[in-house]
Every structure is written in structure tokens, then in C-alpha cells.
Amino acid sequence: MRAGRALGAVLGTGALLCLLAGVAVIALGVRVDGSSMDPTLHPGDRILVSPGSRGRVRRFDVVLLRGGRQDSLMVKRVIGVPGDRVAIVSTGEDPFQVLLQEGGTGPVYRVVADQWAGRAHRAGACCSADGTRTARAALRTVPEGGFFYLGDNPDLSDDSRQYGWGAIDRVEGRVGLRAYPVSAAPGLGNRPALEEYAGPRPP
């Protein structure tokens, strides 16, 4: 009898903890709308922000930020941080070559992200002085207090190419994990890498 009561107590506690976890995900999690971060995040996913990460950006992190024309809440990936120089070179063979010069000095690298493959078909160069797209590619320095951000689904993302530099003080936090659906891996993965860029260097 005692063993049965103990088992019942354990199961009851487990059920209560699961219920509380579900409530926490609904209350604290942020729901992803739109497909600008496919395949990293999907519409309906719920994400949790890492504590203490408000107002901070690190290169290639996924962040929750406020911006755009209506100051809406967006989920995007950081590409360039203050002092970096960024550009997007577009050619007929490759319309989406994201370039990065770390700290504004040294070699210019190409940012390579597996999730961009097969998803970037629209031609469009960057960047103008405010970080938006332009007719010709140009390396621009990310200003103090700003950052350059893109979506993982470039053709369906409104990002720095439309809105210009993001404001670091408008970052709600770094996306730490995916809390829902529970069947999906909690980690985000898909972190970009840098490779040598052999093409002509934009001015």
C-alpha cells in the first residue's frame, strides 16, 4: 500500500511539473509568426529568450528585436556587429553573397549558411550608408549601437535590407531555445560559418 501511495505521489508530482512547464512556455514563450526564419524556426514555434541577454548582440546569434516600420517584434539573425563591415554581392550566378569584414580590418569573408542554399533567388545588392539594399554592392561599417541582421529565409525576410541597421538597445534578448513543439529539437543549429571570399571586393 505504501509503495502504491509513493508511486501515486511521484506520478502526481510529475504531472504537476509538466503542467507548470506548459503554462510557463505559454506565458513566457514568444510565438513565431511568418516564415522569414525557415528552416531554423517555423510559424507557430514558441521560443524562449536567454535571461540577461537583453540589449546584447553576438555575431550569428538569433535575437528577438523590435524594429521595422511599425516597431514590431521580430526574430532575426545577427550578421554584423559594431565596427564590422558588411555587403551583399549579387550576380546572375549567385544572387546572395553576404560578405563580412570582422572589425573593419583584415580579410573579407563570405558568410556561408546551409539554410540559405536554395532559398535565395532574388537579386539585390547591399549596402547603403544606412544599411539598406542598394543598386551596387558596397562594404559599409556597422555603426556604434547598431547591428546588421538577416532572416534565414532571405527571399521572404524583411530585415536590414529594408529597415537598415538594427538598434542594440531594441534587442529583447538572444533566442536560447525552442520550447514548442516538444517534438522538435530545442536547439536552433544552422549557425553560419565564414569562408574565404575570392571574388572582387566591393568598395
Side-chain angles (χ1 to χ4, degrees):
M1 181 67 74
R2 291 180 179 176
R5 288 181 179 175
L7 179 60
V10 170
L11 292 176
T13 301
L16 179 60
L17 290 175
C18 288
L19 178 61
L20 291 174
V23 171
V25 167
I26 293 173
L28 302 176
V30 177
R31 186 180 186 277
V32 175
D33 293 319
S35 55
S36 71
M37 284 298 291
D38 274 345
T40 305
L41 293 168
H42 304 288
D45 285 359
R46 284 195 173 270
I47 53 176
L48 295 176
V49 171
S50 297
S53 61
R54 178 188 291 269
R56 299 181 182 180
V57 295
R58 298 186 308 186
R59 201 178 288 118
F60 302 150
D61 277 351
V62 176
V63 297
L64 190 66
L65 70 142
R66 289 199 173 274
R69 295 185 180 89
Q70 298 181 353
D71 197 37
S72 56
L73 202 56
M74 303 185 291
V75 183
K76 302 293 178 183
R77 188 177 296 277
V78 177
I79 301 298
V81 297
D84 289 346
R85 299 179 75 204
V86 294
I88 299 177
V89 174
S90 182
T91 66
E93 297 75 27
D94 193 341
F96 194 68
Q97 300 179 76
V98 180
L99 307 185
L100 174 69
Q101 186 182 41
E102 298 175 293
T105 61
V108 174
Y109 295 100
R110 179 173 179 174
V111 181
V112 178
D114 292 341
Q115 60 269 30
W116 293 345
R119 291 174 177 267
H121 305 290
R122 296 180 183 175
C126 195
C127 299
S128 61
D130 63 357
T132 56
R133 70 174 78 231
T134 187
R136 299 181 64 182
L139 279 165
R140 297 292 185 179
T141 302
V142 180
E144 192 67 30
F147 65 101
F148 185 74
Y149 62 94
L150 297 171
D152 280 1
N153 191 3
D155 281 2
L156 296 179
S157 175
D158 290 336
D159 42 48
S160 282
R161 294 171 294 172
Q162 287 76 32
Y163 304 134
W165 313 118
I168 293 178
D169 61 6
R170 302 293 285 159
V171 171
E172 297 287 326
R174 183 175 68 254
V175 176
L177 55 85
R178 179 194 352 250
Y180 180 86
V182 294
S183 58
L188 301 185
N190 292 337
R191 195 171 181 86
L194 298 177
E195 70 174 23
E196 183 178 350
Y197 174 65
R201 177 168 165 169

